Amino acid sequence: MQHAQSRAISLRWAGRGALALLAGLVAFGVSPALPASAASWSAPVQLPGSCGSSVAVNRAGAMAAGGTFTAADGTMHVQACASPDGKTWQAADLGPGGSEPHGGQHPAVAMSPDGHVVAVWGSAVGCPAACDYIVQAAERAPGGGWGAPVTLSTELYFGGGGIVLGMDGSGNAIAAWVGSYADASHYAALPAGGHWGPAQTLSTSSVEGAARNLSLAVSPDGSAVVAFAGGGDGIWAASGTVLGGFSAPDHVAAGDYSKDSAPKAALDDAGQASVVWSRTGATEAVTRSPAGTWSTAAVLATQSSSSVATAIDGAGNAIAMFGSSYSWHLAGGSWRAAASLPAGSSGGLVVADPAGTFVYADSGGNAFTFAAGATSFGTGSGSRGSLADLKIVPGHAVMLAADAVSAETVN
């Protein structure tokens, strides 16, 4: 637990009033050094099954995680773990699957405020005679058991990145993936309390080029952004809502034809967004205004980065993490010069809640909690092992590393 002074500092800087003050100071060229929050991560809790790929948490502190394991007959199975409090867990075998696509989480999981859990994954069927690649999903009722998997699509491109999943504050879920026909991308939505809708087309190879490396950001109010690399490695972003569909993707930056860009997206309820990616010789970023206008691409570094991540809070303060560096884009400003992450940190994931709490976890599972604009990240959690996932909701942050879950109460 944080001591009283640290908690007071964190509350002071996490509030929207402080963020507004900060934006005003930046506008006048003043850049105060902001304090980090003291680390208060729980001891790692080992998961009961092979659920070390993805994790989800809700405001009540309930959690879910997912992964894969090899069954006795040699086939890969999907496993899901659920907990009412992050301490006691139950594991369930969801059946064969989880071997596709080649990248991304296997499976991806999401949890609603009332504890409804959704898992989505890819599977290969009909092998070895004639392999087909499909998208499957399963649901767990609050406090209940898992239902039988359903098929969302019989057309999954097995090598084009991952399947991505998001959920809004009302429990509506959305999944997106790249299809095997003409490298188009698709999505399907699951209304809270309802059933999965049919697969819809998000992008086509004739307009945006062959899609790959999808990234999905969903805000609590149901807005959504899907960023992806398309033809010529150009960066595209489709904007819409979980249940209302998407407009035609916007071309936000040209590519370098190297086919290695993997953009990451973040979004808040005000419609402000950030997208960060790396290409040959540069790491770049764009932001989107509440009116929906994307900025010109900014160069954050003149070298490529093997890992990029971004997060944005409710006031529109965004951060980009790339390699062993980071850069702030505070509301009303522009991307700042790159600065070094804490010694020994590189890669990893970053998340933010609407109130302005940011959490960064490096590839070794060392997590830092801080406020928008922080110039130092303070004491980390200590290395927890290989990082798999990091999530935050108002009140809770959770980290999945080395098949174990650590949690932190956030203001």
Side-chain angles (χ1 to χ4, degrees):
M1 296 292 293
Q2 295 170 310
H3 56 70
Q5 182 179 6
S6 295
R7 184 174 296 278
I9 292 173
S10 179
L11 284 168
R12 187 182 307 125
W13 284 102
R16 289 180 179 270
L19 294 175
L21 173 61
L22 172 63
L25 291 172
V26 171
F28 285 100
V30 179
S31 300
L34 302 183
S37 300
S40 55
W41 289 87
S42 66
V45 176
Q46 197 70 31
L47 294 173
S50 300
C51 298
S53 178
S54 58
V55 70
V57 62
N58 67 10
R59 290 191 181 201
M63 299 181 193
T68 59
F69 71 98
T70 302
D73 62 1
T75 61
M76 182 173 288
H77 280 223
V78 174
Q79 190 154 50
C81 299
S83 170
D85 55 10
K87 299 174 183 177
T88 58
W89 290 81
Q90 289 184 329
D93 181 354
L94 303 186
S99 58
E100 303 296 339
H102 290 175
Q105 297 173 328
H106 295 229
V109 296
M111 174 175 274
S112 70
D114 67 357
H116 177 225
V117 184
V118 178
V120 180
W121 64 90
S123 299
V125 296
C127 299
C131 291
D132 290 314
Y133 304 99
I134 65 176
V135 180
Q136 294 181 285
E139 300 174 56
R140 182 182 186 271
W146 286 90
V150 299
T151 298
L152 305 186
S153 174
T154 57
E155 189 222 329
L156 172 66
Y157 179 48
F158 70 96
I163 294 172
V164 289
L165 173 67
M167 185 177 283
D168 65 20
S170 298
N172 305 303
I174 185 170
W177 63 91
V178 177
S180 58
Y181 178 73
D183 297 334
S185 63
H186 309 277
Y187 68 95
L190 174 66
H195 301 283
W196 284 99
Q200 306 286 338
T201 299
L202 182 71
S203 69
T204 63
S205 59
S206 61
V207 178
E208 293 85 14
R212 59 191 176 278
N213 298 337
L214 303 186
S215 175
L216 170 66
V218 176
S219 63
D221 73 348
S223 299
V225 167
V226 179
F228 60 94
D233 218 29
I235 305 301
W236 297 79
S239 302
T241 63
V242 171
L243 299 182
F246 291 83
S247 60
D250 292 308
H251 184 237
V252 299
D256 61 359
Y257 295 88
S258 62
K259 295 187 177 181
D260 60 3
S261 291
K264 301 299 180 184
L267 175 67
D268 70 10
D269 270 356
Q272 299 164 115
S274 60
V275 175
V276 179
W277 67 94
S278 182
R279 61 175 178 84
T280 303
T283 299
E284 298 179 326
V286 293
T287 56
R288 192 184 74 181
S289 71
T293 302
W294 291 97
S295 69
T296 301
V299 176
L300 305 183
T302 55
Q303 65 270 351
S304 60
S305 303
S306 59
S307 173
V308 300
T310 187
I312 192 167
D313 67 11
N317 301 299
I319 193 170
M321 302 290 191
F322 44 97
S324 57
S325 302
Y326 72 95
S327 175
W328 282 109
H329 185 290
L330 298 180
S334 57
W335 289 101
R336 292 183 175 183
S340 295
L341 289 169
S345 293
S346 65
L349 300 168
V350 63
V351 293
D353 69 7
T357 299
F358 287 77
V359 178
Y360 164 66
D362 65 21
S363 57
N366 191 14
F368 304 85
T369 305
F370 48 94
T375 54
S376 65
F377 295 169
T379 304
S381 64
S383 235
R384 302 296 173 95
S386 179
L387 178 69
D389 203 4
L390 178 70
K391 297 289 175 59
I392 191 171
V393 295
H396 301 279
V398 59
M399 173 172 53
L400 176 60
D403 298 323
V405 167
S406 300
E408 181 184 37
T409 300
V410 296
N411 297 317

